[in-house]
Amino acid sequence: MINKGLAKRIVPCLDVKNGETVKGTNFINLRSAGDPVELGKAYSDAGADELVFLDITASFEERKTFTDMVTRVAAEINIPFTVGGGINEITDVDRLLNAGADKISINSAAIRNPNLIDEIAHHYGSQVCVCAIDARLDEDGWYCYVKGGRERTELPLFEWAKEVADRGAGEILFTSMNHDGVKQGFANEALAQLADEVSIPVIASGGAGNMEHFKDVFELGKADAALAASVFHFGEITIPDLKRYLRKEGINVRI
């Protein structure tokens, strides 16, 4: 019996550094995974619902490389894609949307300047603004981190998620740093709490290791979309196989 709610989305994520796709574990130990444009096209052709490209070293010189890549991706794929990394002001948003991106993801910049969420939503519509939240379950609870997971803030995850939604973000992309790259499953309890507490879609990130983890994140974690990287990049799971499996398990996905 297929659940007839909105279709759940499968979203490969490509971390881009120096023009190539890389993948790490717990935000470190990066290894190369190939050309982002070629990978993006392959995922689009394989039935991915959306893509996310993150410029993980978005220093000034890298930005031109990344913007050129966005233009090339837009020419090759026909599914929506989100870009993030180094977006600090409206002019950055403008540049990437003009290059062909459909949505923009902001993280540290939103925490530094929460008004940026309101500005993006006001200028371009909520659907363009994805607020990425990197959080870790520490001894005293879930807290948000910035600077690629290097620096803890005193912002509790759930409090910040509510503010993000109130300010007009269209979606939250939640990465559990405890689960990132470990392949032991998503942070389903935290995800389910997020789904209950905010009224906007939540994209789950961090923890995909097998197909069952995707089933669990939709059923137990109540996620609207599941994002993964290494299981797709290194061929451990193919998108057509994953979607067939989820469909068989009664989860509504677009085939």
Side-chain angles (χ1 to χ4, degrees):
M1 171 73 185
I2 300 284
N3 182 335
K4 285 299 178 209
L6 278 178
K8 302 294 189 181
R9 290 171 286 150
I10 302 297
V11 186
C13 179
L14 298 91
D15 290 341
V16 180
K17 182 182 181 188
N18 302 325
E20 67 171 8
T21 311
V22 293
K23 183 60 195 126
T25 303
N26 299 119
F27 284 49
I28 53 173
N29 302 327
L30 300 177
R31 56 180 176 152
S32 174
D35 176 71
V37 182
E38 285 174 20
L39 266 177
K41 184 172 181 346
Y43 289 141
S44 174
D45 292 347
D49 297 294
E50 296 187 15
L51 297 172
V52 172
F53 292 87
L54 299 176
D55 183 354
I56 60 167
T57 51
S59 60
F60 189 68
E61 325 74 82
E62 300 278 326
R63 287 199 182 173
K64 188 169 171 353
T65 313
F66 189 72
T67 309
D68 290 347
M69 182 213 77
V70 171
T71 306
R72 286 166 44 228
V73 167
E76 291 288 343
I77 71 170
N78 55 7
I79 56 173
F81 71 102
T82 301
V83 295
I87 296 167
N88 296 303
E89 53 196 16
I90 282 289
T91 52
D92 297 324
V93 177
D94 227 38
R95 172 172 53 83
L96 292 163
L97 291 178
N98 285 334
D102 297 280
K103 305 180 196 176
I104 299 301
S105 167
I106 51 174
N107 187 342
S108 304
I111 288 176
R112 275 198 310 276
N113 171 21
N115 286 328
L116 185 58
I117 301 169
D118 307 62
E119 279 185 68
I120 296 172
H122 176 71
H123 279 270
Y124 307 104
S126 289
Q127 78 286 352
V128 164
C129 185
V130 177
C131 200
I133 303 177
D134 296 335
R136 195 166 81 181
L137 180 55
D138 293 327
E139 283 175 11
D140 51 349
W142 282 98
Y143 280 86
C144 300
Y145 278 69
V146 291
K147 299 187 177 164
R150 288 187 286 278
E151 196 176 290
R152 173 172 150 145
T153 71
E154 288 316 302
L155 265 181
L157 164 64
F158 300 104
E159 202 175 290
W160 176 234
K162 282 187 199 136
E163 182 176 339
V164 159
D166 289 344
R167 284 180 176 274
E171 291 181 284
I172 288 170
L173 166 52
F174 164 55
T175 301
S176 163
M177 292 170 59
N178 309 69
H179 296 72
D180 177 66
V182 183
K183 299 187 178 175
Q184 298 296 308
F186 292 87
N188 292 322
E189 274 180 43
L191 282 158
Q193 189 176 336
L194 274 178
D196 289 341
E197 292 189 11
V198 300
S199 57
I200 59 176
V202 176
I203 305 163
S205 165
N210 61 40
M211 294 197 207
E212 202 174 321
H213 292 153
F214 286 89
K215 172 179 179 273
D216 290 345
V217 80
F218 293 134
E219 290 184 342
L220 308 176
K222 304 182 187 175
D224 298 277
L227 177 146
S230 52
V231 290
F232 295 142
H233 298 342
F234 302 113
E236 294 157 46
I237 296 176
T238 72
I239 291 168
D241 285 350
L242 174 59
K243 286 193 163 187
R244 280 192 291 271
Y245 163 79
L246 291 170
R247 190 49 92 81
K248 195 168 102 264
E249 294 294 328
I251 290 161
N252 182 13
V253 288
R254 290 185 198 91
I255 299 277

